[in-house]
mmCIF file of all heavy atoms in Angstrom:
data_model
loop_
_atom_site.group_PDB
_atom_site.id
_atom_site.type_symbol
_atom_site.label_atom_id
_atom_site.label_comp_id
_atom_site.label_asym_id
_atom_site.label_seq_id
_atom_site.Cartn_x
_atom_site.Cartn_y
_atom_site.Cartn_z
ATOM 1 N N SER A 390 -1.695 -9.535 -1.776
ATOM 2 C CA SER A 390 -0.880 -9.202 -2.941
ATOM 3 C C SER A 390 -1.785 -8.764 -4.076
ATOM 4 O O SER A 390 -3.019 -8.877 -3.996
ATOM 5 C CB SER A 390 -0.048 -10.411 -3.385
ATOM 6 O OG SER A 390 -0.887 -11.404 -3.961
ATOM 7 N N VAL A 490 28.350 -17.646 5.007
ATOM 8 C CA VAL A 490 29.297 -18.624 4.484
ATOM 9 C C VAL A 490 29.289 -19.915 5.301
ATOM 10 O O VAL A 490 29.603 -20.991 4.785
ATOM 11 C CB VAL A 490 30.718 -18.013 4.430
ATOM 12 C CG1 VAL A 490 31.278 -17.829 5.834
ATOM 13 C CG2 VAL A 490 31.647 -18.864 3.564
ATOM 14 N N ASP A 613 30.511 -3.791 -0.989
ATOM 15 C CA ASP A 613 31.918 -4.197 -0.834
ATOM 16 C C ASP A 613 32.582 -3.453 0.326
ATOM 17 O O ASP A 613 33.462 -4.009 1.004
ATOM 18 C CB ASP A 613 32.692 -3.933 -2.125
ATOM 19 C CG ASP A 613 32.290 -4.878 -3.253
ATOM 20 O OD1 ASP A 613 31.691 -5.925 -2.947
ATOM 21 O OD2 ASP A 613 32.573 -4.559 -4.417
#
Side-chain angles (χ1 to χ4, degrees):
S390 71
V490 70
D613 290 342

